[in-house]
Structures are given as C-alpha cells and as structure tokens.
Amino acid sequence: METLENVAQSGNESEVPVKLFVSDTHGRGLLTTVPVTRGRLLLVGSPYCAVLTARERSQSCENCLLRKKRLSRCSKCRQARYCGTTCQRSDWKAHRLECPALCAVGPSWAPPEIVRLVARILTKQTTLTEKCPSEELFTIGELQSHLSDLSVEQKEQIGQFIKILHKYYSKHVEFPGNEELIELFSKVNCNGFTIEDEELNHVGAALYPSLALLNHSCDFNCVVTFHGTMAEVHAVRDLHAGEEILISYIDLLYTSRDRIAQLQDLYFFTCTCSLCKTHYLDNEKLCIKQAGKRPTEEEVNEMIKYSQAKIKEIREAKHVRSPEELLEMCEQCQTRQETVFTRGNVYNLHVEYQAMGVYLYLGQTKQALKLGLNLIRCYQTLYPPNSVNVAALWIKIGRLHRDLEKPIGAIDSFHKALTIMEMTHGTDHPFVRDLKLEVKTM
C-alpha cells in the first residue's frame, strides 16, 4: 500500500492516479489520472500533528490514538496512556507540554483541542529541519487561513485561544508574534480534521496538510476514514480519469440551506454542488406539518432557528446537566417542533440522536434501541447510500441487539453496516476485520 507522501500508485507503476491541480475558478484540488473503481484506496496519510480528546485518555494511546485493552501510564502524570515505550518516546516532545499541568490538576485539565493541537504544531516547527512527510503535496505555509473572512466573533474566539495557549504552554513553547498565531489558529480551524471511530465517536483532532487539498461536495465521490491517526481516502463510486476527488466536510443530514450556511461560516465558500442547486430532498428533510392549518414560511423559519439553537444547547449541556435533565430538554424541543414539523424531520432526528446517547449512557438499552431503529429508517432515506453515518448507526443498533441477546437482529445489522463499510473503509480496514470477527463470535 502506497502512502500519501509517495502519492498513491495504480496497478501500473508508471501511472500516478492522484495529482495536484490548480484552477482559476476552483482553486487547488486533487484528481485522479486513471480510472478508479468503487472501494479503491486512493490515499493514506499520517498527520503533521494529532491530539487525543481528553475523554479518550483512559482507553486510547496518546500517540497513535488507537484503543487498546492494556495501556501503560505515564509514570509522572499517571493520566496519559500509551501502547508501549515506542509510542511514549514518540509522543514525549508533545506530552512534556502537558505533563506538568496533568500532574498538578489531574484529569479535569482539558484546554480546547485546537489549543493543544497548535501547541504541538509550534513545538514541532521549532525542531523540524526539513519538510514533514505529511506536507509532501501541500505545506502548512501554503494552507489557506481566510484571515480577511473572519467575523468579529471568530477573531475574538481566536484571541481567547491565544490567551489559553500562553497560560498553559508559555514555559515550554516559543511563541511567534500575535499575527502569526492568529493566522495559525485560523489555518487549523478551517483545515483540521476531526478523528472518529467506527461509530463516529469523537477520538481526537489532527492536521493533514496534504489532505487539506481535498475539496468539498455534498455529492461526494470519496470518504475519509481513520484508524488511530492514520487517514484513508476511499472512492465510494467509480471515478473516471481526470475526475476530482471530492469529500464532504459536514453532516449531510441537514437541508441545502443549512449546509450552505454552515460551509460559508466554517470554510468560507458557497457550495454549488448539484444537490444544493436542486435543493435535493429538502422537503423530505423538513417534513412540514400538513394537517390542519399549514405553518407559514415565517413560522417554519422561526422553528428552524429555535431547533438549531436548542440542538446546540443540548450538545453543550451534556457535560454539565444530569441525564434526566437532558432527556427533558429533548422532550421539550420535540414537543415544540411538532407544532410546525412532523416526526422524522432532520431537527427532530438530531434531537432523537442526542436522546439515544443519553439512554446509552444510562444503560437503558431497550429505549436506545427503539430510538436507533426509528433513526435508521429515516437515515436510509435522507443520507446517501454510501454514508458512514448510516453504517455507524447500524453498528450501534447491532451492538444494542447483541446486548439484549437478540443475535438475529445483531447479525443482520452488522451485515448491513459491513455492506457500506467495505466500500467506505475497504475490506482490509481494521474496523471491517473487527466487525466481521464480532459477527463470527456471536
């Protein structure tokens, strides 16, 4: 298997299926130079820097971000864990930035991930004497910062990040000027990747400069998946020679209006893909109430704003509210939504997904499964057929069936997940192998 650093090779070693292009209208991107079949692995990339989310410290290696049953603790802070001495030594230059704070404060010490990631990047830049392998196609210096596009709120947030950076890392990191820091934070904000596991649980964050060349389309033809810190790009449909490799930057469950707004806010461009131009499935996603008096356009817009704010509130409250309070918030939101929307609208689905997570946390498996089965019926209609979101939910449902000692339902759900994952992850991906083993051992 070739790596991104060497550029992925086709079966014919004289051909290079992936190359950088520059367009006056489309900017930079990556395209294939040979036909590519669905399921083909195009790129594999290691990060410039990566950071494990604080919630994963007890079960994942701080260096490679892989989950292991047995991990060795850092002898000083007793918080960071590693697969073994190789990973610990590899991570030491980064971990020494955090070890004293973890010793003093303990597991509750958790600055924003972007701050921790930037601290690691700055440390690496001071010691790196040549271009990092992850920058083979594109360097950190070439990444777009979109400084001129930042809103007042975004600039203020970066200012807060810089204060936190100075507060916790000033003893170990040599900081550049404030303008350079603002530019770096802005680059990481709009070019960084969120690392997720097979159930799309948040594992960490990383910067892959060369993978940042991949452009977005809601009508994507490739997906990025992870195994620890390693990122893989697979084709989810056949590509012709010269076709651009396109991935999705965002959750595609939302309507075209929401997707366009989110992409503009986070990545500073307007999506003009075919799905956004035609408002594909927007009516099905909104599910506006038809019985009785039909809601006005103003009432629909107000309910969308309310739902977006409430979903954000529920997500942010997960670590400060009790499970019972979270479930009550979900119920209140759904009750109000029903005055304008019918069940199955995308905002209702997002609330149900949050409620499912609460039931999982509480160990209320039957309630979680009931919500999961309702969600998957809608997901299969509203998400693309090659969506990792659908596969991830089938895995959750399969494990809930298994926990309830319903092997037929579990095996059926796992097989449905595998059908998608073999296309999005490849047949040799560890997630696929582990899931197949899970089915065999039932």
Side-chain angles (χ1 to χ4, degrees), residues 47 49-52 60-66 71 80-95 120 195 228-230:
C49 282
V51 62
L52 181 73
S60 298
C61 175
E62 200 84 21
N63 182 62
C64 65
L65 275 59
L66 289 173
L71 294 167
R81 291 168 170 82
Y82 298 96
C83 300
T85 54
T86 301
C87 271
Q88 186 171 14
R89 286 171 183 163
S90 178
D91 191 54
W92 172 242
K93 287 181 180 178
H95 178 59
R120 291 182 174 224
I195 297 176
T229 59
M230 297 305 296

Side-chain angles (χ1 to χ4, degrees), residues 66-237:
L66 289 173
R67 290 200 183 108
K68 297 288 180 67
K69 290 183 178 179
R70 293 185 179 181
L71 294 167
S72 302
R73 294 173 185 259
C74 169
S75 59
K76 292 184 178 180
C77 68
R78 307 294 294 171
Q79 301 301 321
R81 291 168 170 82
Y82 298 96
C83 300
T85 54
T86 301
C87 271
Q88 186 171 14
R89 286 171 183 163
S90 178
D91 191 54
W92 172 242
K93 287 181 180 178
H95 178 59
R96 74 182 184 88
L97 307 175
E98 302 187 343
C99 195
L102 286 167
C103 287
V105 181
S108 62
W109 186 81
E113 276 177 32
I114 188 172
V115 174
R116 298 173 60 212
L117 186 57
V118 165
R120 291 182 174 224
I121 292 170
L122 290 170
T123 301
K124 186 166 183 173
Q125 286 178 331
T126 60
T127 59
L128 207 63
T129 57
E130 55 187 19
K131 187 165 63 175
C132 179
S134 65
E135 298 178 288
E136 186 63 29
L137 298 177
F138 209 49
T139 67
I140 288 181
E142 293 174 294
L143 293 173
Q144 288 275 3
S145 66
H146 293 283
L147 281 175
S148 61
D149 298 315
L150 294 176
S151 66
V152 174
E153 292 77 11
Q154 288 170 324
K155 290 178 181 177
E156 289 176 351
Q157 186 182 52
I158 289 176
Q160 291 302 314
F161 288 153
I162 292 174
K163 288 181 181 179
I164 297 170
L165 182 72
H166 280 281
K167 179 179 179 180
Y168 291 119
Y169 295 95
S170 58
K171 291 183 180 180
H172 302 283
V173 179
E174 184 178 336
F175 297 118
N178 203 57
E179 290 185 4
E180 291 178 68
L181 280 178
I182 293 172
E183 184 177 9
L184 180 56
F185 269 105
S186 186
K187 284 182 176 181
V188 175
N189 247 337
C190 55
N191 291 284
F193 284 76
T194 298
I195 297 176
E196 298 170 323
D197 65 10
E198 74 275 20
E199 290 189 18
L200 299 188
N201 296 311
H202 182 83
V203 176
L207 186 65
Y208 302 84
S210 292
L211 284 183
L213 286 165
L214 296 170
N215 286 318
H216 164 88
S217 175
C218 302
D219 190 19
F220 59 94
N221 54 32
C222 293
V223 296
V224 180
T225 59
F226 301 91
H227 182 235
T229 59
M230 297 305 296
E232 296 184 354
V233 181
H234 280 88
V236 293
R237 58 177 186 247

Side-chain angles (χ1 to χ4, degrees), residues 269-421:
F269 70 87
T270 299
C271 185
T272 58
C273 75
S274 60
L275 301 186
C276 286
K277 282 183 176 179
T278 60
H279 308 292
Y280 180 68
L281 289 181
D282 279 1
N283 290 334
E284 291 84 348
K285 290 180 176 182
L286 279 179
C287 297
I288 298 172
K289 190 176 179 181
Q290 300 295 323
K293 184 182 177 183
R294 181 179 171 84
T296 64
E297 183 178 351
E298 183 180 356
E299 288 172 329
V300 171
N301 289 334
E302 285 300 315
M303 186 54 63
I304 290 173
K305 290 179 183 178
Y306 164 80
S307 298
Q308 290 171 334
K310 203 66 180 179
I311 291 166
K312 182 180 179 181
E313 182 185 344
I314 293 168
R315 286 173 175 162
E316 292 175 348
K318 282 194 283 189
H319 305 296
V320 295
R321 297 285 190 95
S322 70
E324 292 74 20
E325 288 175 319
L326 289 171
L327 288 174
E328 185 178 352
M329 290 172 69
C330 291
E331 290 174 5
Q332 288 175 348
C333 182
Q334 288 176 318
T335 299
R336 185 164 172 182
Q337 285 175 340
E338 287 173 357
T339 62
V340 174
F341 301 135
T342 59
R343 282 294 176 104
N345 71 82
V346 290
Y347 304 106
N348 170 256
L349 296 178
H350 280 289
V351 175
E352 281 201 353
Y353 188 81
Q354 296 302 317
M356 182 184 177
V358 177
Y359 283 127
L360 284 169
Y361 175 80
L362 291 171
Q364 296 182 21
T365 310
K366 288 184 179 180
Q367 291 89 333
L369 179 58
K370 181 180 178 181
L371 287 180
L373 291 171
N374 180 60
L375 284 165
I376 199 66
R377 284 192 291 270
C378 299
Y379 274 25
Q380 290 182 105
T381 302
L382 301 179
Y383 273 115
N386 48 17
S387 170
V388 292
N389 298 77
V390 177
L393 186 54
W394 273 125
I395 294 172
K396 285 183 186 289
I397 291 171
R399 288 172 178 164
L400 288 168
H401 275 300
R402 180 199 60 196
D403 294 344
L404 290 169
E405 298 182 351
K406 297 181 176 180
I408 295 176
I411 292 171
D412 179 62
S413 300
F414 287 149
H415 279 306
K416 287 174 178 173
L418 283 167
T419 299
I420 301 171
M421 290 181 70

Side-chain angles (χ1 to χ4, degrees), residues 241-270:
E243 186 170 354
E244 183 178 5
I245 301 171
L246 298 168
I247 63 171
S248 174
Y249 292 176
I250 57 172
D251 187 347
L252 297 178
L253 189 61
Y254 287 108
T255 63
S256 58
R257 184 175 75 170
D258 286 351
R259 296 197 307 272
I260 288 170
Q262 189 176 359
L263 289 165
Q264 184 63 52
D265 182 57
L266 295 175
Y267 302 104
F268 310 104
F269 70 87
T270 299

